[in-house]
């Protein structure tokens, strides 16, 4: 059922029926209740509608219900119906925070206009609340993680509580899914952000050099070691060490890394002195380390030491709702880098992107965005065979329609920089219809502001 725009409370069944019919004809979804207690169970701080209630009701009158609602959220508009001669009661209600009151018998058009104004105020209050939350999020230094799909909300819900806790983190995700970006986000939004973020790809450094890279060496420790070199671990002191492709780390080196984690000390090659280190480890892998440890190909004690907080990063094909926003973001970056104009996608182009399975994940999307900036829409045509060949799974007509609608709205909001008025014109729909569809798809215009 669609969430009601109006919750109406009145103990008279005839009035409830009349109001329900009148509001339904005005395209205002309504739920009716005969008493305040039953209605209050359906009201929370996220409710984006209006409360319309009678003053004289058994169990709990309108003023008592107003107080209960304001305890939940003071910004929920409450309109009270009063009988003739109850003006003093109405004034009291206004003093206690009611949005407005209307006398019985009431004028139909007056009630509808009042409800619409109250709804607009409620939507504005919720938008401001979301915007403030987003500004607090965006005000943090360093990189941002884009995407508001449910899988990414789950990722952020896991990460945010541990940003300032020096617990080790294990990131698991496919190639190109954004493990490096997430590691940098964790570091830059933690108490360690004033110190170094040091990254090393365990699969890209030759096995005979990786130990020196991590632990450093003294002059003369081995052939070619002409002078002392500080290792990655020591360089990350008080900061964060990011170990990418952890599954590629040699077994002998895993033992030494485990000792560092346990003792918080490091010894350079060729030295007999130990250095105290305070390092947070963020490790990333595309392999199932638990399976590898069970098979004896990865040390289980190191796995458990690093797997304090595990974050599963969803592949792009599982967060397709984020594709238009991510693509627009990468286009803006590429346009600034190459001094080119950024041409917004149309709805059809956005829908094509969302049909692709993206085996290269976010990295593949970013590369396509760069080609799009350099070559224009022709870059999408070059990608057409790949897009057609990699459609992931079958979708029902309703799912395809919803996906197209959402991508069209996102594309228009991006092109209009979050302006509701301009987006209405571009899509050719009414303000209320646009707001309804944005709520349906979980979109907030603040996401698209420059």
């Amino acid at each position: 059922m669609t969430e009601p725009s109006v919750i109406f409370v009145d103990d008279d069944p005839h009035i409830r029926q009349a109001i329900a019919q009148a509001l339904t004809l005005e395209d205002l979804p309504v739920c009716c209740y005969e008493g305040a207690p039953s209605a209050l169970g359906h009201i929370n701080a996220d409710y984006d509608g209006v409360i319309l209630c009678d003053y004289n009701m058994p169990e709990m009158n309108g003023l008592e219900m107003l107080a209960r609602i304001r305890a939940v959220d003071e910004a929920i508009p409450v309109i009270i119906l009063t009988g003739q001669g109850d003006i003093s009661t109405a004034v009291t209600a206004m003093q206690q925070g009611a949005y407005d009151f209307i006398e019985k018998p009431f004028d139909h058009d007056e009630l509808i206009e009042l409800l619409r104004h109250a709804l607009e105020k409620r939507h504005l209050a919720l938008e401001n609340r979301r915007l403030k939350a987003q500004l607090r999020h965006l005000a943090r230094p360093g990189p941002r993680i884009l995407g508001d799909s449910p899988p990414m909300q789950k990722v952020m819900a896991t990460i945010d509580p541990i940003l300032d806790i020096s617990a080790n983190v294990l990131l698991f995700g496919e190639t190109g899914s954004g493990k490096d970006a997430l590691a940098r986000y964790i570091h830059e939004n933690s108490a360690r952000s004033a110190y170094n973020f040091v990254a090393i790809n365990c699969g890209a450094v030759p096995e005979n050099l990786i130990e020196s890279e991590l632990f450093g060496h003294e002059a003369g420790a081995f052939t070619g070691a002409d002078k002392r070199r500080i290792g990655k671990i020591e360089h990350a002191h008080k900061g964060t060490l990011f170990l990418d492709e952890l599954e590629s780390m040699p077994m002998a080196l895993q033992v030494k890394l485990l000792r560092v984690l346990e003792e918080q000390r490091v010894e350079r090659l060729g030295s007999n002195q130990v250095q105290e280190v305070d390092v947070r480890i963020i490790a990333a892998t595309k392999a199932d380390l638990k399976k590898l440890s069970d098979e004896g190909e990865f040390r289980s004690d190191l796995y458990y030491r690093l797997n304090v907080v595990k974050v599963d990063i969803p592949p792009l094909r599982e967060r397709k709702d984020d594709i238009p926003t991510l693509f627009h973001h990468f286009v803006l970056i590429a346009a600034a880098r190459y001094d080119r104009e950024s041409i917004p996608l149309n709805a059809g182009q956005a829908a094509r992107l969302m049909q692709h399975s993206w085996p290269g994940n976010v990295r593949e999307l970013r590369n396509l965005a760069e080609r799009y900036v350099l070559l224009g829409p022709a870059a999408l045509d070059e990608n057409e065979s790949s897009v057609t060949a990699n459609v992931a799974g079958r979708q029902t007509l309703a799912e395809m329609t919803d996906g197209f609608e959402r991508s069209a709205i996102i594309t228009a909001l991006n092109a209009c920089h979050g302006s509701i008025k301009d987006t209405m014109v571009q899509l050719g729909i009414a303000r209320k219809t646009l707001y309804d569809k944005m709520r349906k798809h979980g979109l907030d215009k603040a996401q698209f502001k420059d």
Side-chain angles (χ1 to χ4, degrees):
M1 179 181 176
T2 302
E3 186 176 49
S5 297
V6 180
I7 287 179
F8 176 52
V9 187
D10 197 300
D11 59 323
D12 188 325
H14 300 294
I15 295 180
R16 290 201 303 272
Q17 183 179 15
I19 289 288
Q21 290 176 346
L23 298 189
T24 301
L25 289 173
E26 293 291 340
D27 197 24
L28 290 172
V30 58
C31 273
C32 298
Y33 301 92
E34 62 179 351
S38 56
L40 287 170
H42 299 271
I43 299 170
N44 57 46
D46 294 324
Y47 174 61
D48 65 353
V50 177
I51 312 299
L52 177 65
C53 68
D54 191 23
Y55 171 71
N56 290 303
M57 296 183 295
E59 297 186 75
M60 188 184 298
N61 65 33
L63 288 182
E64 292 170 327
M65 183 175 183
L66 171 64
R68 292 282 296 274
I69 293 170
R70 286 179 62 78
V72 174
D73 184 353
E74 293 184 352
I76 297 177
V78 179
I79 301 171
I80 296 180
L81 292 175
T82 63
Q84 290 182 336
D86 286 339
I87 296 300
S88 61
T89 301
V91 171
T92 301
M94 296 290 287
Q95 291 173 339
Q96 294 183 7
Y99 177 78
D100 211 333
F101 69 93
I102 190 165
E103 288 187 84
K104 299 177 183 177
F106 49 82
D107 178 81
H108 172 271
D109 293 336
E110 181 184 354
L111 175 62
I112 297 301
E113 183 178 7
L114 185 59
L115 288 172
R116 292 199 187 282
H117 285 165
L119 276 171
E120 187 171 350
K121 180 179 180 181
R122 178 58 176 165
H123 293 162
L124 182 61
L126 289 177
E127 283 181 16
N128 286 339
R129 185 178 300 168
R130 285 191 291 265
L131 178 58
K132 287 178 181 178
Q134 186 179 41
L135 287 175
R136 287 195 297 270
H137 175 75
L138 297 180
R140 295 169 174 170
R144 299 190 296 271
I145 302 300
L146 296 178
D148 196 39
S149 61
M152 286 308 296
Q153 289 179 9
K154 183 177 179 181
V155 168
M156 300 313 294
T158 303
I159 287 174
D160 283 343
I162 53 96
L163 288 174
D164 285 327
I165 302 173
S166 293
N168 296 328
V169 180
L170 180 62
L171 305 179
F172 175 77
E174 296 179 3
T175 299
S177 58
K179 298 187 288 294
D180 178 86
L182 199 57
R184 291 179 183 275
Y185 173 87
I186 294 171
H187 171 77
E188 294 294 346
N189 290 280
S190 74
R192 295 176 175 267
S193 60
Y195 299 93
N196 292 330
F197 175 86
V198 181
I200 183 170
N201 188 316
C202 300
V205 181
E207 186 171 340
N208 61 329
L209 294 179
I210 190 169
E211 183 175 2
S212 173
E213 282 290 312
L214 279 174
F215 294 90
H217 61 256
E218 296 289 345
F222 52 85
T223 303
D226 298 328
K227 58 183 179 179
R228 172 188 290 179
R229 187 176 189 280
I230 300 298
K232 300 291 188 184
I233 297 175
E234 197 174 342
H235 188 52
H237 180 55
K238 294 188 178 180
T240 303
L241 176 66
F242 176 52
L243 301 174
D244 200 5
E245 295 193 27
L246 182 67
E247 70 277 6
S248 301
M249 180 176 286
M251 190 70 75
L253 196 57
Q254 293 178 29
V255 178
K256 295 186 177 182
L257 177 62
L258 180 63
R259 187 179 302 119
V260 171
L261 294 178
E262 291 176 341
E263 300 177 359
Q264 290 291 292
R265 296 189 301 175
V266 65
E267 185 177 323
R268 302 186 196 114
L269 296 181
S271 173
N272 293 320
Q273 294 182 338
V274 295
Q275 307 294 325
E276 300 289 337
V277 289
D278 172 16
V279 176
R280 181 188 204 174
I281 304 290
I282 300 179
T285 180
K286 60 180 180 293
D288 185 344
L289 292 186
K290 178 63 169 64
K291 181 180 178 182
L292 291 179
S293 66
D294 291 342
E295 295 172 351
E297 296 181 19
F298 192 88
R299 290 192 64 92
S300 59
D301 45 6
L302 178 60
Y303 166 70
Y304 288 115
R305 189 79 188 194
L306 293 173
N307 190 27
V308 177
V309 178
K310 184 183 179 186
V311 181
D312 293 314
I313 305 175
L316 193 55
R317 63 181 175 276
E318 293 179 7
R319 47 179 295 214
K320 289 192 173 184
D321 288 349
D322 295 332
I323 289 174
T325 300
L326 286 168
F327 189 82
H328 179 70
H329 173 71
F330 293 140
V331 163
L332 291 178
I333 292 175
R337 178 185 304 152
Y338 299 118
D339 194 22
R340 295 288 186 93
E341 180 183 1
S342 62
I343 305 172
L345 293 175
N346 60 41
Q349 292 168 331
R352 282 164 56 195
L353 293 183
M354 294 179 72
Q355 288 298 310
H356 186 41
S357 64
W358 299 104
N361 290 295
V362 177
R363 184 178 296 136
E364 181 185 357
L365 181 67
R366 183 178 62 229
N367 291 342
L368 179 60
E370 291 201 3
R371 293 200 302 275
Y372 176 78
V373 167
L374 294 172
L375 304 176
L380 302 182
D381 295 333
E382 290 179 3
N383 210 47
E384 180 66 31
S385 59
S386 175
V387 170
T388 304
N390 287 285
V391 173
R394 295 188 178 184
Q395 291 182 303
T396 65
L397 178 60
E399 290 171 337
M400 288 188 287
T401 301
D402 279 349
F404 181 85
E405 180 179 80
R406 189 179 195 280
S407 65
I409 294 172
I410 289 175
T411 300
L413 284 166
N414 274 324
C416 299
H417 308 291
S419 168
I420 295 297
K421 181 179 178 181
D422 293 343
T423 303
M424 289 162 46
V425 173
Q426 181 163 323
L427 296 176
I429 57 178
R431 179 183 294 270
K432 181 182 182 302
T433 303
L434 177 58
Y435 271 120
D436 287 344
K437 291 184 181 298
M438 287 173 64
R439 283 198 301 276
K440 171 186 174 183
H441 296 296
L443 302 176
D444 177 8
K445 70 177 184 181
Q447 299 171 253
F448 306 93
K449 296 286 187 181
D450 286 340

